[in-house]
Amino acid sequence: NIIPALLKMEIMLYYGCYELYSVETRVYIINNNINIAEKINIPNLLISHLPKETRISINLICYDKLKSKSFVLGCCSVAIFDENGVLKQGPIELNIWPLYKIDPRIVCTNNYMGKHYIHDKESKEVFDKMKFCSIVIELPKYARKPIYTLKSPFSYKEFLK
């Protein structure tokens, strides 16, 4: 049994099941609202270098007070381009999949929405108003919408480990 006291995030960029980049945040003390305000820059990577299928995946890792034991609190993932190839911008709220760790082979992980066995209209309205454990990530904003293009002569193999 672990009493969670500390939290850190593992943030990865994936293209399919290939990891393009990964970074970890500092370790934070757990309280009611954890505000992890870290700016993450990816060196030597331009938006034009990213494949359309690139996604950001996040694991939440909890530790005990002594950092001797840890467990996965949850995970979330989001594609950085929408279905039209437009780069997502600004804040994005992601519901946490509880007690799951990101599996790079599963590329279709959507927001966690709990059980979806609702048949009557009234219950569905109550369910839609429910709040789940979530994190908010903020992507950069641009004056114009960046759209995916194949114009950049770049090999992803440089980033694949």
Side-chain angles (χ1 to χ4, degrees):
N1 294 335
I2 300 174
I3 298 173
L6 306 169
L7 175 81
K8 81 170 179 183
M9 293 185 350
E10 299 173 340
I11 303 163
M12 293 86 52
L13 277 183
Y14 281 108
Y15 168 52
C17 61
Y18 299 105
E19 186 177 289
L20 298 175
Y21 185 78
S22 67
V23 67
E24 294 181 356
T25 63
R26 296 188 331 246
V27 176
Y28 291 86
I29 297 172
I30 293 178
N31 57 27
N32 289 340
N33 288 319
I34 302 171
N35 186 6
I36 299 175
E38 289 194 32
K39 184 176 182 177
I40 298 171
N41 289 319
I42 302 172
N44 304 320
L45 183 65
L46 303 173
I47 293 170
S48 61
H49 293 170
L50 294 175
K52 185 178 177 185
E53 298 81 11
T54 303
R55 68 188 190 282
I56 297 173
S57 299
I58 301 169
N59 286 322
L60 298 170
I61 311 295
C62 280
Y63 294 94
D64 63 356
K65 287 182 183 179
L66 303 175
K67 286 183 68 174
S68 60
K69 295 181 182 178
S70 67
F71 71 95
V72 176
L73 180 63
C75 68
C76 58
S77 191
V78 64
I80 62 169
F81 291 97
D82 68 12
E83 59 277 357
N84 298 318
V86 177
L87 184 71
K88 294 179 181 176
Q89 301 181 58
I92 300 172
E93 184 174 2
L94 302 170
N95 292 345
I96 304 297
W97 282 87
L99 305 177
Y100 281 92
K101 186 173 184 172
I102 288 293
D103 184 346
R105 298 171 298 168
I106 302 173
V107 297
C108 57
T109 307
N110 290 328
N111 259 350
Y112 177 73
M113 297 304 288
K115 291 184 179 180
H116 226 51
Y117 304 112
I118 299 172
H119 300 291
D120 61 86
K121 186 178 179 180
E122 184 178 311
S123 296
K124 181 167 179 19
E125 289 173 3
V126 170
F127 179 81
D128 289 342
K129 292 178 183 175
M130 291 176 67
K131 285 288 188 184
F132 296 96
C133 180
S134 64
I135 62 172
V136 177
I137 62 171
E138 186 158 354
L139 300 176
K141 293 183 181 181
Y142 301 93
R144 294 186 178 189
K145 292 182 182 178
I147 299 175
Y148 174 76
T149 180
L150 288 173
K151 293 181 182 177
S152 177
F154 177 77
S155 172
Y156 306 119
K157 292 179 183 177
E158 294 177 28
F159 283 96
L160 300 179
K161 295 180 180 179

